[in-house]
């Protein structure tokens, strides 16, 4: 097998800590350890370099993997990362056009940083390397590589949703982005809805020709699209969740007594539906008064992108809602809603998931949402909790045994919470077993293996054109 080169916005550089990687890092590391390879991207640091220096690339060899990373300067960080990636693409791809802050200068820097990264990577490439590019920060990366003569196989995987034309066309640079994405040989999406939305956008631009269901031509290039729902390592999650509890957690469990616990955990982000979730919990206490004083909802939401105004506003909104709900339904013996704006160790989180009766995962829009899968995998098979899951999370296409809800309907979510809190053991076990069978079938190793097998099967890029239809058809 050819050497694998992974490119992502951030590189998970080994630092000797015992923290367990999650999500993308697990799948990427598993694939790199199998083939040996290179992981390239930003190291998370900001420096004064201009991007043209020869000595700004840091190389680290560890466990058969080469980690190649470099810093960004302040201007590139502000415009490429904070502005265009996270104040344009992130809200637009999550259907929040109202939060998009488009600036032409930021678009120019977004493209320039992709060009700079492509040139840095070119010197490290071997002729038969297979390149796997990840996420919305790097939509133009294949186009940047093709411009400088790179003919290797290049695949792309989008971890977040892809918006329908009605939303995507609102971006002033939507046509340029589509044209750049057609430079990839293989485009992977989390769900069929996302893949279909991408195709529909091409059709609207009159830039699409269908060869067969998964092979297409767009803007003069031939490429393949496919769905690869990302998974987890369920056995590793189960192992983390089992075992003795730390002293503080054991004391917390004792303090809870017979009270039931609902838990949610995600980054503090407006796509996660946290205000709507708080209102749904309030509706549970309003509509089902028998749960008052007998249930506690714990929301863990560490700050992310704290320098973006929309995130600052969200944090203040949540703090106000917590005070209002606890003021309304709290007693001298305790409060029903706990909001923790802090980071928790991943192993500790899995133990928390195992202790709780309900996992509440209700994003307004999500590519996949691995927390939903991790919650299920962490459960005690003999006494599992119940997952309440948004229909707008990619995971809802697979975890159909969860209680699927519309996060915009507070009363529907409240009714699902009541159903989860009162569900008989046999039904909980049946739902758990159905979801665990799927998690084992479509685990993180299956995700990376199936993607890379498809990418390896695509013939090499020639003469600036994509692989031929006859050659790519399988």
């Amino acid at each position: 097998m050819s050497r694998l080169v992974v490119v992502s916005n951030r590189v998970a550089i080994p630092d000797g800590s015992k923290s367990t990687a999650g999500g993308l890092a697990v799948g990427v590391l598993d694939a790199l350890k199998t083939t040996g390879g290179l992981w390239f991207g930003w190291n998370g640091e900001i420096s004064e370099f201009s991007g043209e220096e020869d000595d700004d690339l840091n190389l680290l060899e560890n466990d058969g993997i080469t980690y190649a990373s470099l810093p960004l300067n302040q201007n590139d960080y502000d415009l490429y990362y904070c502005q265009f990636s996270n104040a344009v693409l992130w809200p637009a791809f999550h259907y929040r056009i109202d939060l998009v802050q488009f600036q032409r200068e930021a678009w120019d820097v977004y493209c320039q940083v992709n060009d700079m990264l492509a040139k840095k990577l070119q010197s490290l490439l071997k002729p038969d390397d297979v390149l796997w590019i990840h996420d919305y920060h790097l939509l133009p990366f294949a186009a940047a590589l093709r411009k400088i003569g790179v003919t290797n196989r290049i695949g792309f995987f989008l971890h977040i949703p892809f918006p329908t034309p009605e939303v995507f066309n609102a971006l002033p640079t939507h046509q340029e982005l589509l044209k750049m994405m057609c430079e990839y040989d293989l485009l992977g999406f989390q769900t069929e809805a996302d893949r279909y939305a991408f195709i529909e956008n091409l059709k609207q631009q009159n830039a699409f020709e269908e060869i067969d269901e998964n092979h297409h031509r767009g803007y003069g290039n031939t490429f393949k699209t496919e769905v690869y729902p990302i998974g987890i390592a369920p056995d590793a999650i189960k192992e983390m969740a089992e075992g003795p509890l730390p002293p503080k957690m054991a004391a917390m469990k004792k303090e809870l007594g017979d009270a039931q616990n609902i838990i949610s955990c995600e980054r503090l982000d407006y796509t996660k539906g946290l205000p709507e979730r708080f209102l749904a919990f309030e509706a549970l206490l309003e509509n089902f008064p028998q749960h008052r004083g007998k249930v506690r909802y714990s929301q863990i939401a560490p700050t992310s992108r704290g320098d973006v105004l929309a995130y600052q506003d969200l944090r203040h909104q949540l703090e106000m809602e917590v005070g209002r709900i606890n003021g309304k339904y709290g007693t001298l013996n305790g409060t029903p809603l706990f909001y923790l704006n802090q980071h928790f160790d991943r192993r500790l989180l899995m133990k928390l998931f195992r202790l709780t009766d309900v996992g509440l995962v209700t994003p307004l829009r999500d590519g996949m949402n691995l927390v939903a899968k991790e919650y299920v995998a962490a459960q005690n098979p003999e006494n599992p909790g119940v997952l309440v899951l948004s229909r707008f999370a990619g995971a809802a296409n697979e975890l159909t045994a969860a209680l699927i809800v519309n996060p915009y309907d507070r009363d529907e979510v409240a009714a699902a919470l009541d159903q989860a809190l009162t569900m008989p053991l046999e039904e909980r076990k049946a739902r758990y077993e159905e979801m665990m069978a799927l998690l084992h079938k479509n685990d993180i190793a299956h995700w990376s293996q199936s993607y890379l097998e498809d990418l390896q099967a695509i013939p090499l890029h020639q003469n600036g054109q994509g692989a031929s239809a006859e050659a790519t058809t399988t």
Side-chain angles (χ1 to χ4, degrees), residues 289-434:
Q290 64 269 28
H291 294 299
R292 295 177 190 174
K294 298 179 181 179
V295 64
R296 183 169 76 173
Y297 167 26
S298 301
Q299 174 65 61
I300 299 171
T303 297
S304 70
R305 303 168 190 158
D307 47 358
V308 177
L309 181 60
Y311 292 81
Q312 297 170 9
D313 292 342
L314 174 62
R315 180 176 178 179
H316 296 149
Q317 181 184 0
L318 293 179
E319 289 168 351
M320 290 179 62
E321 286 296 305
V322 171
R324 185 183 63 78
I325 294 171
N326 281 335
K328 185 176 180 181
Y329 289 103
T331 67
L332 291 175
N333 295 325
T335 53
L337 175 52
F338 284 72
Y339 166 55
L340 303 171
N341 181 228
Q342 56 190 268
H343 175 77
F344 277 70
D345 177 78
R346 182 171 165 77
R347 291 181 178 275
L348 182 61
L349 272 178
M350 297 307 114
K351 291 184 183 296
L352 276 173
F353 287 171
R354 192 178 182 88
L355 281 180
T356 53
D357 301 281
V358 181
L360 184 56
V361 184
T362 52
L364 303 180
R365 185 74 60 171
D366 225 333
M368 177 52 61
N369 197 296
L370 295 181
V371 170
K373 296 186 174 185
E374 291 171 344
Y375 177 81
V376 174
Q379 295 308 297
N380 178 354
E382 299 306 314
N383 187 26
V386 180
L387 175 64
V388 177
L389 179 62
S390 166
R391 61 184 292 191
F392 300 118
N397 293 310
E398 300 178 273
L399 302 181
T400 54
L403 298 181
I404 308 297
V405 297
N406 182 341
Y408 293 97
D409 187 340
R410 57 179 295 204
D411 292 314
E412 181 181 273
V413 178
L417 288 172
D418 173 64
Q419 182 183 352
L421 291 166
T422 58
M423 187 178 292
L425 176 61
E426 289 308 309
E427 182 180 352
R428 286 190 276 124
K429 291 173 71 173
R431 289 174 180 270
Y432 163 80
E433 288 164 5
E434 180 179 333

Side-chain angles (χ1 to χ4, degrees), residues 26 231-238 240 346 374 377 439-440 443-445:
V26 173
I232 60 171
D235 292 335
I237 298 295
K238 183 174 182 289
M240 280 188 269
R346 182 171 165 77
E374 291 171 344
L439 293 182
H440 278 109
D443 65 1
I444 189 69

